[in-house]
Amino acid sequence: MKPGYPHPLNRDPEAVAIVPAALAFPTRTLVMGEVLYQEAREASFLYLIERGIVKAVVPTAVGRERIADLLGPGDVLGVAALDGGRHPETITAVQETTVIPIDPHYAMKNQKLSSHILHNLASQLRRGREAIDNAELPVGARLARVLFQLGERFGQELGMEPGVSLPLQMTHEDLASLVGSSRVTVTRIMGELRQEGALAGSRGNYVAHLSRLQMASDQYVMQGL
């Protein structure tokens, strides 16, 4: 977990301070399960996540949907608005989330804000590349790596106890969509990770042991060789 990274239930004051008051519209708060915008709709605004977590759901070639990414405090949404296009994804709140709508035209004229947007887009592209690379791995390795990455990004330290808290309202079906597998397979692997001490708790209150998740991922890779 990055030192000082805000807990997803809290605000990210540094990111919020980047948005000049003259460029920000009134904040919008989404309850868990509420949709911010839908795929194929015209993109008019950028959105900066102030607090909370959302999932980006995209259609697949076979007509299904999958979760492409999870985004949290400081992340930028609605980037299709930069070229006047249509949203390629549907954004849904995983937990109560507050976003700041921003006019894309003026946003890119502000040096500090545009720098943050470009930096964040680079991070999102890197995560997308990692997901493509992980697609070649066994399902167990993919799931362990995804949980490790979520722990690094959104985990909350537990004081003297090992591991980090992951307050994610993610079902096994959601996790299956995120790693490209079936719910049954994910449920089995989650049980294996619990037996190895790499994961504890349940939906909304997971505890992830990051070093053990790394070891579990390596073990699944070796089993697949």
Side-chain angles (χ1 to χ4, degrees):
M1 180 177 62
K2 298 179 180 179
Y5 193 89
H7 187 274
L9 294 178
N10 295 333
R11 295 187 175 188
D12 182 355
E14 293 184 4
V16 174
I18 292 172
V19 184
L23 300 183
F25 288 82
T27 59
R28 178 177 172 184
T29 298
L30 309 172
V31 299
M32 184 176 67
E34 185 175 354
V35 173
L36 176 63
Y37 58 74
Q38 292 182 322
E39 176 259 337
R41 295 290 181 86
E42 183 177 351
S44 302
F45 292 98
L46 295 170
Y47 299 91
L48 181 70
I49 301 178
E50 181 180 12
R51 66 183 181 93
I53 298 176
V54 301
K55 60 183 178 182
V57 179
V58 298
T60 67
V62 295
R64 298 179 180 176
E65 294 184 336
R66 68 177 182 86
I67 299 176
D69 199 3
L70 295 177
L71 303 105
D75 282 330
V76 178
L77 308 170
V79 295
L82 293 174
D83 65 358
R86 295 181 180 275
H87 295 297
E89 76 283 291
T90 296
I91 296 294
T92 304
V94 173
Q95 57 190 211
E96 185 174 287
T97 300
T98 300
V99 298
I100 304 172
I102 309 168
D103 186 303
H105 177 70
Y106 292 107
M108 298 310 292
K109 291 184 176 182
N110 181 280
Q111 183 176 358
K112 194 172 183 179
L113 181 54
S114 63
S115 177
H116 176 81
I117 292 170
L118 294 176
H119 177 78
N120 189 255
L121 290 182
S123 296
Q124 293 185 37
L125 287 172
R126 183 174 63 252
R127 292 199 300 272
R129 177 56 188 268
E130 290 174 351
I132 293 173
D133 292 341
N134 289 344
E136 301 298 321
L137 299 176
V139 177
R142 296 205 302 270
L143 181 57
R145 288 194 179 190
V146 162
L147 291 171
F148 172 83
Q149 292 162 356
L150 293 176
E152 280 200 315
R153 291 175 60 203
F154 302 128
Q156 180 184 30
E157 294 181 356
L158 296 172
M160 299 299 293
E161 297 182 30
V164 296
S165 172
L166 275 176
L168 299 177
Q169 294 289 342
M170 300 282 288
T171 65
H172 287 191
E173 187 171 354
D174 287 332
L175 292 171
S177 176
L178 193 58
V179 301
S181 184
S182 68
R183 181 188 59 78
V184 173
T185 300
V186 164
T187 297
R188 173 178 58 79
I189 295 171
M190 293 284 278
E192 295 172 354
L193 293 175
R194 287 188 174 90
Q195 289 179 353
E196 294 295 324
L199 188 70
S202 58
R203 175 184 174 185
N205 191 31
Y206 290 115
V207 175
H209 194 299
L210 300 188
S211 62
R212 292 181 181 176
L213 283 172
Q214 284 184 310
M215 289 189 292
S217 175
D218 292 341
Q219 290 173 355
Y220 282 115
V221 171
M222 294 302 294
Q223 292 172 7
L225 296 179

